[in-house]
Amino acid sequence: FDRSALAGEDEQRIDRCTEDANLIMRVQRFIQLLCEGQNSVCQNYLRHQTEKAVSFDMIAITCDVISNLCETVDHVEILDVHLIETTSACFNFLIEVVQGPNLENQKKVAHHGILERVMNIIKADFARVSEELGGDDPPEIRALRMSCVQLLTSLIEGGADMEVMTLICNRLDHDALMYRL
């Protein structure tokens, strides 16, 4: 990506986005570590803080970040390495908050459009970033796709909620999964 062609304002905007992405990755990793070991109290707290006047649903916010970055296959295709790593960090956070299984968080994630975003990532070729990184299957792309698959398996963990299972079965493109995986 040649930054010399950018106007000063565009370059500053890219720098701010990069700083924001770095912060998101650090915060996501910290919160992910709080949920390690299927800590259901922390997992639930991240969805709803009952003792606060204003509650921040970190699960919905994370799903929104992924949705904005991966809205379509075309959006996924233009992600740079840094945004791919940010997206992976978001998926890794979601994996931790649904494992246990945490049925409420599984429902929240499944109903938030993440399954469609997973399919956009699975279907994407990542041609531009693969060329930049000098390979057909760079580790950053493999890590992102692996996080997607781990989230899918975490969503069906426990298998107790047929609604989540039905959503997954209906929204996944089985042919694309077989082709990519």
Side-chain angles (χ1 to χ4, degrees):
F1 171 51
D2 181 17
R3 291 180 72 156
S4 63
L6 296 175
E9 187 177 304
D10 289 335
E11 191 167 358
Q12 288 174 349
R13 189 171 313 143
I14 289 172
D15 289 340
R16 278 193 309 272
C17 287
T18 301
E19 289 171 17
D20 290 347
N22 285 332
L23 178 62
I24 288 170
M25 286 191 337
R26 288 194 309 270
V27 169
Q28 292 288 15
R29 180 64 181 146
F30 173 73
I31 295 172
Q32 177 186 346
L33 291 172
L34 292 175
C35 294
E36 287 283 332
Q38 291 82 40
N39 181 343
S40 63
V41 172
C42 187
Q43 289 173 327
N44 293 332
Y45 188 79
L46 291 169
R47 187 181 64 254
H48 183 70
Q49 302 84 43
T50 56
E51 77 287 348
K52 302 291 182 192
V54 176
S55 182
F56 295 95
D57 186 343
M58 294 304 296
I59 297 168
I61 291 168
T62 301
C63 289
D64 289 342
V65 169
I66 293 171
S67 291
N68 288 333
L69 291 172
C70 305
E71 187 174 352
T72 66
V73 174
D74 289 338
H75 281 91
V76 175
E77 290 288 346
I78 63 170
L79 294 177
D80 64 13
V81 175
H82 200 72
L83 289 175
I84 289 171
E85 290 171 344
T86 301
T87 306
S88 289
C90 290
F91 274 105
N92 291 333
F93 165 74
L94 292 177
I95 291 164
E96 285 303 325
V97 299
V98 302
Q99 285 183 333
N102 186 309
L103 298 178
E104 289 301 313
N105 289 352
Q106 286 177 339
K107 287 180 189 178
K108 174 72 119 183
V109 170
H111 284 285
H112 212 85
I114 288 299
L115 301 171
E116 291 81 358
R117 299 327 180 244
V118 164
M119 290 315 307
N120 290 342
I121 291 166
I122 298 296
K123 291 176 181 178
D125 288 329
F126 293 98
R128 187 183 60 79
V129 76
S130 293
E131 185 179 314
E132 282 178 19
L133 296 174
D136 284 339
D137 199 18
E140 295 84 356
I141 295 169
R142 281 196 317 266
L144 176 58
R145 286 192 172 136
M146 180 181 283
S147 293
C148 289
V149 172
Q150 285 176 321
L151 179 62
L152 293 175
T153 60
S154 296
L155 285 171
I156 61 173
E157 183 179 327
D161 192 298
M162 288 310 296
E163 184 180 353
V164 171
M165 301 290 276
T166 302
L167 279 171
I168 291 171
C169 288
N170 290 338
R171 293 186 180 173
L172 294 183
D173 181 338
H174 303 281
D175 293 333
L177 282 170
M178 294 301 292
Y179 176 74
R180 289 287 182 203
L181 307 176

